[in-house]
Amino acid sequence: MKITCTQENLKKSIFAVERVVGKKSTLPILENILIEAKGGKVTLSATNLELGVVIHLSAKIEREGRITVPVKILSLFVGNLPSDAVIDISIHNLEMFLVSGNHSAVIQGFDSEDFPLIPRVDDSLYNTYLNAQLFRNALHKNMFAVSPSNIRVEFSGIFLYFDEGAIYMVSTDSFRLIETKLSFQGDAPEGVGQGVILPYQTVSEVIRLVSEDVEKVGIVVQDGQIFFQIGEDIALVSRLIQGSFPDYKQIIPQSFSTNIDIVKEQLLQSIRLALAFLGGTVGEVVFSVDGGKEQLILHTESEKTGKNTSLIPVKISGESMSVVFNPKYVLDAIQVVDGDEIVLSLNSESSPTMFVPKNKQEENVSYRYILMPIKK
């Protein structure tokens, strides 16, 4: 193999795949990336056997070939070259030779035949496409409620299903639940059935790989795996979490007795003040709804720091009541729900509450954040 590329392009490609590399793996080959020049394309591939990424590298090919090399040393060498550098790369007897201006290196490689095969699907199977930026933003917001515990494996990722021309993304840690609805183009992918669960790392990698210049993401589900085509140059494949996601719609009330219109910035300021009295740790904040005075009273009390009360002018429709929340979870709700105003919907001190934008949501995406109060 003999190719020529820029430092900028090679560094970007290495960055795209290196986080997937199996670190401290029982299989040393997984600590490497595969570099292949074939059919007029140069590709970099990495896998940890659960997740695989393949990216096309813009380069001039003089001779085809393939090799696997340790990603750590390659990344450090390329990353420390000048950003405007041009790199000549060639291989001979499982050694990679890199030359760039006054700098050169030889990296010991390994036989590419030992590198695991990364599953791929034909481009013609990609019949489902999402707006890349809306999809990335939706995944990022759903990450707030993904459970960090593996006790219930079905909660350790994001549930994804298709219904009536929209893709739904749902995450929960049993204390709160986030549902995102996003329009898509094309047909719903086969193999989804009642829904699939994306692992946390897969979601994290999709978010990272969707750069600002990517316009669309294609999806294929096949044989217990999900395939993403990110823009024109990146393909990602991941195993799906095997588990049954609960019928979450059963816990969402169909109607609410009290609805409160709140200016989001005022609620944000009040929650931050409450957290200040809790020392930034998990605690409790009491939401008292005063329908007569059209105000929401937030109260926090700590034996160590004192008390804090904030009065927020609001529009209230329905009954007055008091509900106790974890303020950190309310802060997350503010970050999930877009718009300048939030509608907080309640039924009682112990039933699920809902945060949604007051005004019309974006044409192609909508969010709702369900939060369980703290029972007193």
Side-chain angles (χ1 to χ4, degrees), residues 276-326:
F277 275 79
L278 295 171
T281 60
V282 174
E284 299 178 357
V285 57
V286 180
F287 279 49
S288 296
V289 182
D290 189 336
K293 294 184 178 180
E294 290 268 295
Q295 65 181 9
L296 177 65
I297 305 168
L298 271 61
H299 181 73
T300 302
E301 188 169 333
S302 169
E303 293 182 359
K304 294 183 178 180
T305 58
K307 305 177 182 180
N308 164 247
T309 300
S310 296
L311 307 179
I312 306 176
V314 294
K315 292 182 179 179
I316 299 174
S317 172
E319 305 172 5
S320 297
M321 66 181 73
S322 291
V323 184
V324 182
F325 292 118
N326 179 326

Side-chain angles (χ1 to χ4, degrees), residues 11-28:
K11 180 181 178 181
K12 180 181 177 181
S13 298
I14 294 172
F15 176 75
V17 301
E18 64 181 338
R19 281 208 338 187
V20 177
V21 171
K23 299 176 177 63
K24 298 182 179 179
S25 173
T26 55
L27 295 175

Side-chain angles (χ1 to χ4, degrees), residues 154 157-163 166-170 188-199 219-226 239-249:
E154 64 270 24
I158 293 180
F159 179 60
L160 181 155
Y161 72 97
F162 290 79
D163 186 38
I167 178 176
Y168 290 80
M169 288 159 275
V170 185
E190 297 180 1
V192 175
Q194 298 302 310
V196 296
I197 306 175
L198 309 184
I219 296 179
V220 172
V221 178
Q222 191 177 88
D223 299 328
Q225 300 177 107
I226 188 165
R239 290 185 180 178
L240 295 165
I241 292 176
Q242 298 303 309
S244 179
F245 202 82
D247 185 3
Y248 72 94
K249 291 185 178 180

